[in-house]
Amino acid sequence: MGEISEDIDLASRSELDEFLASVERRAYKQARFAVRDEQAALDVVQDSMLKLAEKYGAKPPAELPMLFQRILQNTIRDYYRRYKVRATWVTQLSSILPGRAGEEETDPLETMAPADGSQQALGPSDHVQNSQLIVLIEEELKTLPPRQREAFLLRYWEELDVAETAHAMGCSEGSVKTHCSRATHTLATALKRKGITL
Amino acid sequence: MNEREFGLKIKQQLDRSLNLEPGTLAQLKRAREQALTRQRVTEPAFALAWADAIVGRLWGNPASAGIALGGTALILALAGVNYWQHTPSVEEIADIDAALLSSDLPINAYLDKSFDTWLKRSQP
């Protein structure tokens, strides 16, 4: 099994470094919006970077943004699945173990969703934000349904077009438009309710 | 304000939120450096992409791996049952051999095409 080594078109170490440095902060914030935990978000970004470098590190630089976004979204989804499986097992074990039978069953996604207006999701990094508006926008983004948030951020923060967003999310272009439209409506309504106009 | 304009306004605000804490930035830098040490530097000419994708997904997802293992075990069990049902047992083969050898008809008769034709015609 032979290997080709057309280094001219492939990402060099410095190009990959430059690319990762350019996306790591936004990737971290995206993961933070989704998983709502600082360390988990860092783990998600680290996993995504490793997967990109190990599997696609030799791809042309132009392909890296799309590949990275797809990997990032899949890694976030894998986190959700693992979280749900772990929570299911904990629930099952809790019902078996003595002294825990009376406790109410909890949906993992419910426990992840911060209450409206609460300070639950505020972590250390949020305290350095000097703009209340940014904090409010971030809070509203966290409360969006995951697919709507994913589509909205990919389209407008990562500046992918509809086709690229659909590819990164693994859905149809129509679904992307629907998710973006709903996310925009929800965000605009929420901000307006708080008296904020952009 | 249409959807695109609203999206761009949100983008401008989010871009201002990228001043992360030094500790977070250091961890991101470490993650980046670790990824760079594992960078694939050549593109394989031949790759079983589908197999790689499946193994990669199963490796990171214990639930999917469990389903895949269960499915594989079920397929193997069904194949085993099918093989067992359609393979004649030693006793059946021995019975046929004994019947052939002990019959009055010479063995060579079974090799005769004319006998075969006669046998087919004589069947009701």
Side-chain angles (χ1 to χ4, degrees):
Chain A
M1 189 178 289
E3 289 192 337
I4 57 172
S5 55
E6 296 171 12
D7 294 332
I8 299 164
D9 296 323
L10 307 179
S12 66
R13 187 187 163 93
S14 63
E15 281 172 326
L16 183 62
D17 186 24
E18 195 180 325
F19 166 72
L20 290 176
S22 71
V23 294
E24 65 186 13
R25 295 183 190 204
R26 291 199 307 277
Y28 166 74
K29 295 289 280 190
Q30 270 202 61
R32 185 81 193 274
F33 294 148
V35 304
R36 295 162 194 163
D37 178 79
E38 186 175 351
Q39 195 53 51
L42 282 167
D43 289 344
V44 164
V45 176
Q46 182 171 22
D47 282 354
S48 304
M49 285 180 171
L50 282 173
K51 284 176 192 166
L52 181 79
E54 285 176 347
K55 294 184 179 177
Y56 305 105
K59 290 284 182 188
E63 292 183 25
L64 294 180
M66 273 293 303
L67 288 167
F68 182 72
Q69 286 306 324
R70 180 148 198 165
I71 291 170
L72 179 67
Q73 303 309 327
N74 285 337
T75 309
I76 289 171
R77 272 193 283 278
D78 284 345
Y79 173 86
Y80 281 143
R81 286 193 203 104
R82 283 200 301 272
Y83 186 95
K84 197 167 183 178
V85 168
R86 194 164 57 238
T88 306
W89 277 107
V90 169
T91 308
Q92 297 288 339
L93 288 173
S94 301
S95 64
I96 294 169
L97 291 174
R100 306 288 301 275
E103 288 185 11
E104 195 178 330
E105 285 189 11
T106 54
D107 182 346
L109 291 178
E110 279 181 22
T111 60
M112 288 177 73
D116 193 19
S118 75
Q119 297 298 306
Q120 182 185 343
L122 293 181
S125 68
D126 295 303
H127 294 300
V128 301
Q129 308 300 339
N130 55 8
S131 167
Q132 186 64 23
L133 175 58
I134 294 170
V135 174
L136 285 172
I137 290 172
E138 288 187 352
E139 289 304 308
E140 292 304 330
L141 279 170
K142 285 174 188 170
T143 61
L144 281 179
R147 297 291 276 175
Q148 288 183 26
R149 179 179 53 242
E150 196 178 325
F152 185 83
L153 292 177
L154 287 175
R155 277 287 284 125
Y156 296 113
W157 205 15
E158 297 297 334
E159 297 182 304
L160 302 183
D161 63 29
V162 174
E164 288 170 336
T165 306
H167 188 248
M169 290 178 65
C171 65
S172 68
E173 293 183 21
S175 297
V176 169
K177 288 176 187 171
T178 305
H179 288 318
C180 278
S181 173
R182 288 181 181 165
T184 303
H185 179 74
T186 308
L187 280 175
T189 306
L191 293 177
K192 193 176 177 183
R193 198 168 51 236
K194 291 180 178 175
I196 297 167
T197 48
L198 294 174
Chain B
M1 192 187 303
N2 63 27
E3 183 184 315
R4 182 166 183 75
E5 288 168 347
F6 180 80
L8 289 174
K9 294 273 186 190
I10 295 286
K11 173 184 161 51
Q12 287 168 2
Q13 295 297 329
L14 290 175
D15 283 341
R16 290 177 195 161
S17 73
L18 293 177
N19 294 321
L20 303 177
E21 283 195 331
T24 307
L25 289 173
Q27 281 184 282
L28 287 173
K29 190 183 175 195
R30 268 200 299 278
R32 178 165 25 108
E33 287 168 351
Q34 195 181 350
L36 288 170
T37 61
R38 299 203 202 168
Q39 183 186 8
R40 171 182 277 181
V41 290
T42 54
E43 184 81 77
F46 304 105
L48 291 174
W50 59 272
D52 187 47
I54 290 171
V55 171
R57 279 187 174 277
L58 295 183
W59 193 254
N61 190 342
S64 299
I67 292 167
L69 281 174
T72 309
L74 182 66
I75 290 167
L76 287 175
L78 289 173
V81 168
N82 186 51
Y83 177 78
W84 177 70
Q85 283 187 334
H86 290 87
T87 307
S89 65
V90 174
E91 287 79 11
E92 285 175 324
I93 294 170
D95 286 345
I96 293 168
D97 287 349
L100 283 173
L101 292 171
S102 61
S103 73
D104 294 335
L105 201 63
I107 287 289
N108 286 338
Y110 291 102
L111 303 174
D112 191 325
K113 288 184 179 175
S114 304
F115 174 73
D116 193 40
T117 310
W118 173 82
L119 201 62
K120 281 180 182 171
R121 281 183 188 167
S122 64
Q123 282 178 346

